[in-house]
Amino acid sequence: MDSTQNLGATGNIVSHEALDETSFVGNIIREILYSPMNLALLAVIVFLVYKIVRDRTEVPSSSVQKPAEPELPKMRRDFTVKELRQYDGNQLDGRVLVAVNGNVYDVSKGKRFYGPGGPYSTFAGRDASRNLATFSVVSNDKDEFDDLSDLSAVEMDSVREWEMQFKEKYELVGKLLRTGEEPANYDDDDDDENTVNSEENVVAPPANVLSEQSDGLVKRKTDNVSSETEKDVKKNIADSNILLAKPSTESGPKGELPSKDC
């Protein structure tokens, strides 16, 4: 009888604990469902967990590298305003040229800025000097050379500062020609540059060879001086012997030296 009562009491305790756990979970669910703030937090947590799981299991498409564009050959020539208009990045080779303060630069490596769809695509194939001076991105569609004579000193300083940046980052192609100006011939400059490079590539003799040649020259000069000195000494000795052996022409006993008193 006692054992039966004990078992019944134990079962009641277990059932009460189960009810308590169920009521606790139910209270949490009710708190979440009936509180807008808790629902928002739950949605954020679920979204973050989803993002983490997706990033770890899927390869993002942005990580796929695009094939590198072929490097364009170096260009060296002058342009009129109309000729420059052809290099806005929409042609087959995709080259992008921009003129600043009378000079034309190849900005193809900055195509994401100056190419089609870029934030400064209105500069492509045009003279961007006035745009840079006035902080304007409106396309300059003038067909004549802009001498910038109406810009203020501050605006011209801004143009020069931009030009310095273009010189540091991009390759100079040539000049933007004024009306009636003839283009320069850059083939002669290339020939002169090749000549200078060939002269710079001339290999000089090693220093030890020059030293040996110099030592040999000094040695030969020393030997020549020594031989000449030796010849002079021998000649002097020979002259002395001749004088000693020559008989005296003065009077006195034969075979005797002249007297000191004579």
Side-chain angles (χ1 to χ4, degrees):
M1 184 69 179
D2 293 337
S3 60
T4 302
Q5 291 178 350
N6 291 333
L7 289 173
T10 303
N12 291 332
I13 294 172
V14 172
S15 61
H16 284 301
E17 290 179 353
L19 290 174
D20 292 338
E21 292 179 358
T22 304
S23 61
F24 177 73
V25 174
N27 290 332
I28 293 177
I29 294 174
R30 281 193 296 271
E31 285 289 335
I32 294 174
L33 294 178
Y34 293 106
S35 174
M37 182 66 69
N38 291 336
L39 281 175
L41 291 175
L42 179 62
V44 171
I45 293 172
V46 171
F47 176 75
L48 292 176
V49 172
Y50 168 74
K51 287 278 292 181
I52 293 172
V53 173
R54 190 189 66 174
D55 292 341
R56 290 184 178 181
T57 56
E58 296 181 2
V59 178
S61 58
S62 60
S63 64
V64 179
Q65 296 181 354
K66 297 180 180 180
E69 295 184 1
E71 185 176 355
L72 296 174
K74 183 178 179 180
M75 177 181 286
R76 196 80 170 99
R77 54 163 291 192
D78 297 336
F79 297 86
T80 64
V81 175
K82 291 183 178 180
E83 290 173 344
L84 183 64
R85 199 76 54 82
Q86 302 172 8
Y87 295 89
D88 58 357
N90 291 310
Q91 69 278 16
L92 292 177
D93 60 357
R95 190 189 297 270
V96 181
L97 303 182
V98 174
V100 180
N101 200 20
N103 292 320
V104 179
Y105 297 92
D106 189 341
V107 299
S108 299
K109 64 181 181 180
K111 191 179 295 185
R112 65 182 182 276
F113 298 110
Y114 303 100
Y120 307 109
S121 60
T122 54
F123 296 173
R126 289 167 174 79
D127 184 4
S129 304
R130 186 173 294 274
N131 298 81
L132 297 173
T134 58
F135 302 97
S136 172
V137 293
V138 179
S139 178
N140 182 7
D141 295 328
K142 294 181 179 180
D143 293 332
E144 296 180 356
F145 182 86
D146 188 358
D147 59 4
L148 309 176
S149 59
D150 59 330
L151 295 182
S152 65
V154 176
E155 290 173 335
M156 284 304 302
D157 289 340
S158 178
V159 172
R160 295 187 188 97
E161 291 177 1
W162 276 106
E163 184 184 11
M164 292 299 297
Q165 295 188 24
F166 273 77
K167 283 183 178 180
E168 293 176 358
K169 295 181 180 180
Y170 304 112
E171 185 175 355
L172 176 65
V173 177
K175 295 193 309 178
L176 186 63
L177 300 174
R178 298 174 179 267
T179 303
E181 185 178 4
E182 294 295 329
N185 185 8
Y186 293 100
D187 293 338
D188 297 337
D189 295 341
D190 295 338
D191 295 339
D192 294 340
E193 184 178 354
N194 294 332
T195 302
V196 172
N197 292 334
S198 62
E199 291 177 354
E200 292 177 352
N201 292 331
V202 174
V203 180
N208 56 351
V209 174
L210 295 176
S211 178
E212 291 176 359
Q213 292 177 355
S214 177
D215 294 342
L217 180 61
V218 172
K219 184 177 180 182
R220 286 195 296 272
K221 289 183 177 180
T222 305
D223 294 342
N224 293 335
V225 173
S226 299
S227 61
E228 291 178 359
T229 304
E230 185 178 356
K231 289 179 181 180
D232 293 339
V233 171
K234 289 181 179 180
K235 184 178 180 180
N236 293 334
I237 293 174
D239 293 341
S240 299
N241 292 335
I242 292 172
L243 291 174
L244 291 174
K246 185 178 182 180
S248 176
T249 57
E250 298 182 0
S251 61
K254 187 177 181 180
E256 296 180 1
L257 294 175
S259 175
K260 294 182 179 179
D261 296 333
C262 297

